[in-house]
Amino acid sequence: VARIEVGAGAGAYPVEVGRGLREEIPARLQELSGGAGCLVIADSNTAGLVGAYLAAALRARIHVVPAGERSKSFAELERAVEAALDAGLDRRGVIVAVGGGVVGDLAGVVAATYMRGVRLVHVPTTLLAMVDSAIGGKAAIDVPRAKNLVGAFKPPAVVFVDPDLLRTLPEREYRSGLAEVAKYSMISDEHLFDTLLAEAERVLHRELDLLTTVIERCCAIKAGVVTRDEHEAGERAILNYGHTVGHALEAATGYGPLTHGEAVAVGMTAAAEIGAAAGVTPAVVVERQGALLDALHLPRTAPGVATAGDVLALLAHDKKAAAGQPRWVLIEAVGRATWGHSVPVPVVEAAVAHALEAG
Ligand SMILES: NC(=O)c1ccc[n+]([C@@H]2O[C@H](COP(=O)([O-])OP(=O)(O)OC[C@H]3O[C@@H](n4cnc5c(N)ncnc54)[C@H](O)[C@@H]3O)[C@@H](O)[C@H]2O)c1
Ligand SMILES: [Zn+2]
């Protein structure tokens, strides 16, 4: 089992990655909770996979929410808090999130707020949650008008990553997570990039030993970035590579036709084109990234999903925009990203237009 430390000082926590780790979780949780209660939170898919097994082994209650983004709501927050009360959870209790980013985010808000805060343990079950949402200590729920509007920083006590849990993940969800994996390789790890490209077929087939090393690498990259930039002053921005156009595409399409990872893959392609036009990204790097996305069966464009006008309007309102223009994360070389770039509007317009055309 690999152990990756996130953060420094009192707030630090380990991410443990290993095949079969789920079998050790009940004993580890018992030790952690020291006899205080646990509440397992899962969704309607992950409850049957491991949630119920963990709850039974812990003699803990399980609270099941409907699968899907809609569970990141005030209504589900209230139901989960009532479940914690019903379970008799007190201040020493532990919330155990078993699921993807939706369960992790909802459970994180519960753990941050129930009795002004109880401990949180993540057992991520999607690739995205394993390499991204379970690490970094952010949690949020949505309101109808805005995603992730209400939340908290809630570092977990520990994250248990068992790659074997990915066996049952639907194919499209799996590939969505691979977009984040590809992103990590572009921003920070050329060796990972080479591995992904050379072993793309094995990655797509979910060869679990290979996947375990890939997941470890991604967790280490995210852990390193969030540890160095705890207060989001700078470097953490590189994690947003591909997400500027990606988020705008998701919002412009009402979060319907594209998965998050598909939107990010298209966004990475647009960012690479923007980087090339700005003289930051060499043409060969644009080509290599395209080859990796193809090899991982991720889209480079999303023909006709939205109008360029809608996407450009959303970019002007980007959270990280300055003077109506987003700041861009651009790639200088495979494995090296820089942030804070301003780019001429026509360059962005051209890249967005291409993103919405057939490749
Ligand atoms: N907190 C953060 O830092 C952070 C970072 C990135 C994303 N997020 C959030 O994460 C959410 C997306 O997370 P996600 O992509 O994991 O989606 P998700 O949690 O909705 O899971 C995707 C689907 O897969 C199912 N599933 C999960 N694990 C499974 C398994 N092992 N086998 C079979 N089915 C399984 C789920 O029930 C769901 O239907 C978004 O709400 C996003 O805002 C948060
Ligand atoms: Zn993402």
Side-chain angles (χ1 to χ4, degrees), residues 318 320-327:
D318 187 273
K320 282 113 189 163
Q325 283 307 310
R327 295 308 185 108

PDB file of all heavy atoms in Angstrom, residues 318 320-327:
ATOM      1  N   ASP A 318     -16.099  33.717 -16.149  1.00  0.00           N
ATOM      2  CA  ASP A 318     -15.316  32.715 -15.430  1.00  0.00           C
ATOM      3  C   ASP A 318     -14.893  33.256 -14.068  1.00  0.00           C
ATOM      4  O   ASP A 318     -14.531  34.420 -13.942  1.00  0.00           O
ATOM      5  CB  ASP A 318     -14.078  32.367 -16.275  1.00  0.00           C
ATOM      6  CG  ASP A 318     -13.263  31.219 -15.705  1.00  0.00           C
ATOM      7  OD1 ASP A 318     -12.392  31.474 -14.856  1.00  0.00           O
ATOM      8  OD2 ASP A 318     -13.516  30.084 -16.113  1.00  0.00           O
ATOM      9  N   LYS A 320     -12.301  32.887 -12.474  1.00  0.00           N
ATOM     10  CA  LYS A 320     -10.933  33.379 -12.445  1.00  0.00           C
ATOM     11  C   LYS A 320     -10.682  34.464 -13.484  1.00  0.00           C
ATOM     12  O   LYS A 320      -9.541  34.780 -13.810  1.00  0.00           O
ATOM     13  CB  LYS A 320      -9.953  32.212 -12.655  1.00  0.00           C
ATOM     14  CG  LYS A 320      -9.751  31.370 -11.395  1.00  0.00           C
ATOM     15  CD  LYS A 320     -10.295  29.963 -11.516  1.00  0.00           C
ATOM     16  CE  LYS A 320     -10.276  29.252 -10.160  1.00  0.00           C
ATOM     17  NZ  LYS A 320     -11.144  28.068 -10.160  1.00  0.00           N
ATOM     18  N   ALA A 321     -11.777  35.043 -14.018  1.00  0.00           N
ATOM     19  CA  ALA A 321     -11.607  36.063 -15.056  1.00  0.00           C
ATOM     20  C   ALA A 321     -11.144  37.382 -14.446  1.00  0.00           C
ATOM     21  O   ALA A 321     -11.491  37.729 -13.330  1.00  0.00           O
ATOM     22  CB  ALA A 321     -12.923  36.271 -15.799  1.00  0.00           C
ATOM     23  N   ALA A 322     -10.326  38.088 -15.201  1.00  0.00           N
ATOM     24  CA  ALA A 322      -9.928  39.445 -14.820  1.00  0.00           C
ATOM     25  C   ALA A 322     -10.297  40.341 -15.988  1.00  0.00           C
ATOM     26  O   ALA A 322      -9.965  40.041 -17.133  1.00  0.00           O
ATOM     27  CB  ALA A 322      -8.426  39.498 -14.547  1.00  0.00           C
ATOM     28  N   ALA A 323     -10.994  41.433 -15.721  1.00  0.00           N
ATOM     29  CA  ALA A 323     -11.432  42.358 -16.765  1.00  0.00           C
ATOM     30  C   ALA A 323     -12.161  41.622 -17.887  1.00  0.00           C
ATOM     31  O   ALA A 323     -11.931  41.861 -19.067  1.00  0.00           O
ATOM     32  CB  ALA A 323     -10.245  43.147 -17.326  1.00  0.00           C
ATOM     33  N   GLY A 324     -13.039  40.705 -17.510  1.00  0.00           N
ATOM     34  CA  GLY A 324     -13.871  40.024 -18.491  1.00  0.00           C
ATOM     35  C   GLY A 324     -13.154  38.972 -19.317  1.00  0.00           C
ATOM     36  O   GLY A 324     -13.718  38.406 -20.235  1.00  0.00           O
ATOM     37  N   GLN A 325     -11.882  38.716 -19.005  1.00  0.00           N
ATOM     38  CA  GLN A 325     -11.164  37.668 -19.742  1.00  0.00           C
ATOM     39  C   GLN A 325     -10.561  36.675 -18.756  1.00  0.00           C
ATOM     40  O   GLN A 325      -9.960  37.066 -17.766  1.00  0.00           O
ATOM     41  CB  GLN A 325     -10.045  38.298 -20.585  1.00  0.00           C
ATOM     42  CG  GLN A 325     -10.569  38.967 -21.837  1.00  0.00           C
ATOM     43  CD  GLN A 325     -11.445  38.044 -22.673  1.00  0.00           C
ATOM     44  OE1 GLN A 325     -11.070  36.920 -22.976  1.00  0.00           O
ATOM     45  NE2 GLN A 325     -12.645  38.498 -23.022  1.00  0.00           N
ATOM     46  N   PRO A 326     -10.718  35.382 -19.049  1.00  0.00           N
ATOM     47  CA  PRO A 326     -10.134  34.403 -18.137  1.00  0.00           C
ATOM     48  C   PRO A 326      -8.605  34.438 -18.180  1.00  0.00           C
ATOM     49  O   PRO A 326      -8.013  34.877 -19.160  1.00  0.00           O
ATOM     50  CB  PRO A 326     -10.662  33.066 -18.654  1.00  0.00           C
ATOM     51  CG  PRO A 326     -11.227  33.310 -19.988  1.00  0.00           C
ATOM     52  CD  PRO A 326     -11.415  34.781 -20.178  1.00  0.00           C
ATOM     53  N   ARG A 327      -8.000  33.994 -17.096  1.00  0.00           N
ATOM     54  CA  ARG A 327      -6.560  33.751 -17.078  1.00  0.00           C
ATOM     55  C   ARG A 327      -6.366  32.290 -17.455  1.00  0.00           C
ATOM     56  O   ARG A 327      -7.044  31.422 -16.917  1.00  0.00           O
ATOM     57  CB  ARG A 327      -5.984  34.023 -15.688  1.00  0.00           C
ATOM     58  CG  ARG A 327      -6.081  35.471 -15.277  1.00  0.00           C
ATOM     59  CD  ARG A 327      -5.489  36.326 -16.356  1.00  0.00           C
ATOM     60  NE  ARG A 327      -5.449  37.734 -15.970  1.00  0.00           N
ATOM     61  CZ  ARG A 327      -4.324  38.363 -15.673  1.00  0.00           C
ATOM     62  NH1 ARG A 327      -3.164  37.723 -15.697  1.00  0.00           N
ATOM     63  NH2 ARG A 327      -4.361  39.635 -15.361  1.00  0.00           N
TER      64      ARG A 327
END
